[in-house]
Amino acid sequence: MAEKKKRKSAPRRFPKAKAEELFRILAEDRPDPHTELNFVNPYTLVVAVALSAQATDVGVNKATKKLFEIADTPEKMLALGEEGVADHIKTIGLWRNKAKNVIALSDMLIKDFGGEVPKTREELVKLPGVGRKTANVVLNEAFGQPTIAVDTHIFRVSNRTGLAPGKNPDQVEEQLEKVVPAEYKLGAHHWLILHGRYCCLARTPKCWLCPIIDLCKYKPKTPGPRD
């Protein structure tokens, strides 16, 4: 009789007390976390986050500085037209497709939502160029909802530290929803992104600067410049 294959158990996330300590430390390190994308209202946030796919926040901010000065509503963006949008965002990757999406989502916002950005994930993901991650960022930053958008930084930090392991962004998001203490959920998205962007770097994490080094499961720790 053939042996039954043992089912691999899912990676264990942090216990509650350890997760609470991790976020307490990150909150003390960055007490007022926010997105580094520049925006003036919920609509421009949707556009900025949609443009940020496969692009840096710095690059998006440079491209949208003048764009948002002349088009900060769906109506103004439609008046600018696809070519007008494209002229402003040519420094961003995939700019042609993104220009089409900006015009298409602006048109849908006017026709289906009265020109207002919807406040539910189900409605937001209907917009062209808006996926679950973008929707979660908008809900968190514009409307104060405790959502977590798993980007490359959050995916890396969650797996590397052992906070919320997962094989894909959806799994990591599901784990984070379970492990992040309620009092830290609103800021968790930003704390993890900023930690990944400035400390827990992809190639060489700055472990010697890490405020949560004693909680992190990553080994071996990267030595400091003088070690």
Side-chain angles (χ1 to χ4, degrees):
M1 189 172 179
E3 283 188 29
K4 290 184 178 179
K5 289 185 178 180
K6 291 183 179 180
R7 296 182 64 182
K8 291 183 179 180
S9 57
R12 294 183 63 184
R13 59 182 182 268
F14 273 18
K16 183 178 179 181
K18 191 174 180 181
E20 189 169 327
E21 177 68 3
L22 180 144
F23 282 103
R24 182 191 66 77
I25 293 171
L26 291 181
E28 287 182 356
D29 191 49
R30 301 180 189 275
D32 188 30
H34 289 287
T35 180
E36 294 185 324
L37 287 169
N38 294 334
F39 67 98
V40 295
N41 54 33
Y43 168 70
T44 53
L45 177 61
V46 172
V47 173
V49 179
L51 293 177
S52 70
Q54 298 184 43
T56 66
D57 288 0
V58 172
V60 172
N61 289 339
K62 288 180 179 178
T64 58
K65 186 178 186 299
K66 291 185 178 179
L67 176 63
F68 290 162
E69 288 176 358
I70 60 176
D72 59 356
T73 67
E75 294 81 5
K76 292 177 182 177
M77 197 69 76
L78 278 183
L80 188 59
E82 187 178 318
E83 289 303 315
V85 174
D87 285 341
H88 284 87
I89 66 170
K90 285 184 177 180
T91 55
I92 301 176
L94 307 174
W95 58 272
R96 289 187 184 278
N97 191 55
K98 288 178 180 179
K100 290 180 182 179
N101 283 337
V102 168
I103 291 300
L105 73 84
S106 300
D107 186 54
M108 182 178 284
L109 282 173
I110 294 170
K111 291 179 178 178
D112 296 352
F113 301 103
E116 298 294 325
V117 175
K119 297 181 180 180
T120 69
R121 183 187 294 116
E122 292 72 24
E123 291 174 315
L124 281 167
V125 297
K126 293 178 182 178
L127 300 173
V130 176
R132 185 181 180 88
K133 185 184 77 172
T134 297
N136 281 347
V137 173
V138 173
L139 292 173
N140 182 279
E141 186 70 31
F143 302 124
Q145 296 184 29
T147 54
I148 301 174
V150 179
D151 70 348
T152 56
H153 297 299
I154 291 183
F155 185 80
R156 179 175 66 255
V157 172
S158 297
N159 276 286
R160 183 180 277 169
T161 61
L163 172 66
K167 294 181 179 179
N168 56 56
D170 287 344
Q171 288 183 5
V172 170
E173 182 181 341
E174 183 180 356
Q175 293 278 60
L176 287 171
E177 288 292 342
K178 295 175 181 177
V179 74
V180 178
E183 64 267 34
Y184 294 113
K185 275 195 173 179
L186 184 60
H189 165 80
H190 298 297
W191 284 315
L192 294 175
I193 283 181
L194 295 172
H195 186 66
R197 183 173 291 165
Y198 296 111
C199 186
C200 196
L201 308 183
R203 290 188 178 180
T204 309
K206 298 180 180 179
C207 298
W208 67 94
L209 297 176
C210 180
I212 57 171
I213 188 171
D214 293 335
L215 299 172
C216 177
K217 293 182 179 180
Y218 177 72
K219 292 179 181 179
K221 301 290 194 287
T222 307
R226 297 180 180 178
D227 291 354

